[in-house]
Amino acid sequence: MSTPALVTAVVAAAVIIASRGLRQRAQAVVLPIFTGILLFAVWHLLAQASWYELAMPGQPVRTIERFPTPGRVLPAFAELASDGRIFRYMIASLFRVATGFGLAALVGIPLGLYAGWSTRGGYAIDPYIAALRPISPIAWIPISVLAFGIKDEAAIFIIFMGAFFPIVTGAATAVRSMPIAYSRAAHNFGLRKWELLRFVVLPAAMPQIITSLRIALGIGWLVVVAAEMTAINSGLGFLVVDARNMGMRYDLVVAGMLVIGAIGVGLDWLVRRLERLDSVRWGFSKE
Amino acid sequence: MTVAPDPNQPPKIVVRGLTKRFRRGNEEFTALDPVDLDVAQGELVCLLGPSGCGKSTLLNLLAGFDEASGGTVHIDGEAVRTPDPRRVFVFQEYGIFPWATVRENIALGLRRRSESERHEIVERYIDLVGLRGFENSYPGEISGGMKQRVAVARALAVSPEVVFMDEPFGALDSLTRLSMRQELRRIWQLERLTIVLVTHDVDEALQLADRVVVMTSRPGRIAATIPVGLEHPREPLSPAYGTLRKQLFGLLGVVDGV
C-alpha cells in the first residue's frame, strides 16, 4: 500500500467535504479538481492492491502488476504518440464515425421529417423504425462483415445503424409535436408546400433534431469502438483489444480508453455548439 | 367614432346555418349549433363567451382552418374553404415563429413581393406597431406585448381585408392588454379593416367592439347580439357603459361583483 497515494486520497476527500463552506464560484473550481485527484488516488490504490509477487524457483522475486496505475499509463501515451499510431487510429475511427453519422443524418432527417409530416408516411415507416430500433447496432456486426468484409465499410455500416434510428425518431417526433398554429399561420400567409417545409417545418423541428444528432453521435462513438474490436484491424477500438492480445499491455489499453473518452467529450462539445445558433436557441432556453 | 354598417352595402361576412360537430370516442357532440351572423365591411365584432362556447370553433371556421359539419361562410360573396392571405388570423400564442427575427416574421406573407417592396412594407409596419429598434430581435428576447405586436404587424403586412383574432391579448398582463386595445383601435381605424375578435373578457369586448356577439355553451350558440353605440374613448365609469356591462354579464349568466 502506497502511503503518498493514501494521504492524497484522504486530503482530497477532506477538501471536498470542507469546500461546502466556500462561495459557489470557488466550489465550481475546487470540486471538479479534487474529485479528479481523489479518483486518480483511488485508482492508484486499487491497482496497486491487485499487484502480487511471483516467486519462481531459482529466480529473483518479481512483482506482477496486473492493473496499471495512473503513473504507468502516462508513459503509454508517449509510446503511442512516438510511433504515430495513436494519431493514425484516431483519424481512422473519426473518419468512420463521421461517414456513418453523416450518412445517417443525410437519410434520417428527411425520412423522419416525412414520417412525421405525412400521415401516410407515418403509417408506412413507423412500425419498421419501431421494430428495428431496439436491435443493438452491435448485433449488426456479423451481417455487416458478411456484406462488406473486414473493411471500413463494415464499421461505417454499423455506425450508421446506431446513429440512424435516434435521428429518424427525433425528426419525426419533432414534426409531430409542432404547434398547429405554425402550420396554420403558414397556410394562412400563402406559403406553398416546399416553402412550408423549408421555412416552417424544418426550423420548428431543428432544436429537437439537434438533440437527436447529439444522441446519435454519442452512440456512433460508442459503436465505432465495438466495431473496431471485432470487425476491423485499425482504430482506437482495435488498439484496445490489440494491446491486450499482443503482450497484455494493459497500460496501452487504459491509455486507449482515455483517448476514446476525451474524443467523445470533444464530439459532444462540438454538437452542443449548434444549440447556440440564433435560429435554434429558442428550443433550448428554460423558459 | 363608430362605423355604422351601411345598409346599402351587402355584409362583408355572411354566415348561415354554420354547425360543427366533433366525435369523441363513440359520442358525438355539438361544438356549434347552427349559427347565423353578418359582419359589415369595416366593422369590429367581438365574439364573447366562456370556454367551450364554440367561439374559437366559429373563428376557425370563418378563417377556413376547419371544415364545417353544415352551413356556409361567405366573404364578399365567395365561399370560404381554405385559409387565404386576404383574411388573416392572429393567434393567441405560438403564432409567430421563434426561429425568425421580428423582421423575418413580419415578412412571412410577402414572399412573392419584390425585394424593395417587401422591405418598404416591413419597415412601415415595424414603425406602425412601434417595434423600431427590435427588428433584429428574436421573439424569445422581447416581451409578450411586443410579440403580439409582431403578430399584428405580420397580419397587417399582407394588406388583409379581414383580420381574425383569437384572444390576441389573453397572455398579456392587464396593463399591457389595455394599451394593446387602444393600439388595436388606432390601427383598425387607420387601415379600415373588418375585425372579428374572440374574447372571454367583457371589458375587452365593450372597449373594442361595434357589436358584441354573446355566445353560451353546451351546445355553443349565439345567445344575443348587442350593438355598442358608445363613442370612443369609452369611459368604463359612465352609466351607459355600466348598463351594457350588466347586460352582458347577465347574458353570460354571471353576476358582476364579488
Side-chain angles (χ1 to χ4, degrees), chain B residues 116-173:
Chain B
S116 61
E117 199 185 354
R118 185 164 63 228
H119 180 80
E120 188 262 317
I121 295 171
V122 169
E123 298 307 311
R124 177 147 47 91
Y125 282 99
I126 285 172
D127 284 329
L128 181 78
V129 299
L131 283 170
R132 182 61 60 201
F134 295 94
E135 316 80 292
N136 297 317
S137 301
Y138 285 83
E141 300 164 345
I142 58 179
S143 69
M146 287 167 131
K147 275 185 242 187
Q148 215 43 261
R149 285 162 201 265
V150 177
V152 170
R154 180 178 75 174
L156 297 179
V158 297
S159 312
E161 295 166 16
V162 183
V163 178
F164 302 110
M165 305 181 109
D166 190 3
E167 301 192 21
F169 312 135
L172 307 178
D173 68 82

Side-chain angles (χ1 to χ4, degrees), chain A residues 178-192 195 199-201 203-205 278-283 287, chain B residues 60 65-66 83-89 91 93-99 108-109 111-112 138 140-141 151 154-155 158:
Chain A
M178 184 175 88
I180 191 165
Y182 291 168
S183 51
R184 284 189 165 174
H187 277 133
N188 198 172
F189 286 94
L191 265 65
R192 290 169 191 162
E195 293 172 328
F199 296 110
V200 181
V201 178
D278 278 340
S279 57
V280 299
R281 239 177 8 202
W282 60 276
E287 214 188 340
Chain B
N60 280 328
F65 287 144
D66 255 338
D84 189 296
R86 284 173 299 173
R87 27 182 206 265
V88 296
F89 203 101
F91 299 87
E93 272 176 281
Y94 301 120
I96 59 169
F97 299 150
W99 55 82
L108 176 68
R111 307 209 149 271
R112 270 168 274 291
Y138 285 83
E141 300 164 345
R154 180 178 75 174
V158 297

Side-chain angles (χ1 to χ4, degrees), chain B residues 171-223:
Chain B
L172 307 178
D173 68 82
S174 55
L175 293 175
T176 313
R177 218 180 298 161
L178 195 60
S179 65
M180 288 296 290
R181 284 177 204 157
Q182 293 161 354
E183 198 80 336
L184 181 65
R185 276 302 300 192
R186 178 176 71 82
I187 293 169
W188 168 72
Q189 283 177 349
L190 214 62
E191 305 267 322
R192 310 188 159 280
L193 298 162
T194 305
I195 296 182
V196 182
L197 185 147
V198 157
T199 182
H200 55 245
D201 185 327
V202 168
D203 284 304
E204 185 156 286
L206 272 180
Q207 283 163 18
L208 286 173
D210 297 325
R211 243 178 344 137
V212 180
V213 175
V214 182
M215 299 184 69
T216 51
S217 51
R218 273 178 291 270
R221 58 187 187 83
I222 293 177

Side-chain angles (χ1 to χ4, degrees), chain A residues 103-118:
Chain A
L103 287 172
L106 215 63
V107 182
I109 293 174
L111 195 69
L113 291 177
Y114 176 64
W117 183 249
S118 146

Side-chain angles (χ1 to χ4, degrees), chain B residues 23-46:
Chain B
R23 294 198 72 81
R24 205 193 272 150
N26 284 329
E27 239 179 307
E28 200 181 55
F29 82 106
T30 305
L32 198 63
D33 234 20
V35 159
D36 295 328
L37 180 68
D38 288 349
V39 179
Q41 159 68 42
E43 197 180 16
L44 201 168
V45 169
C46 282

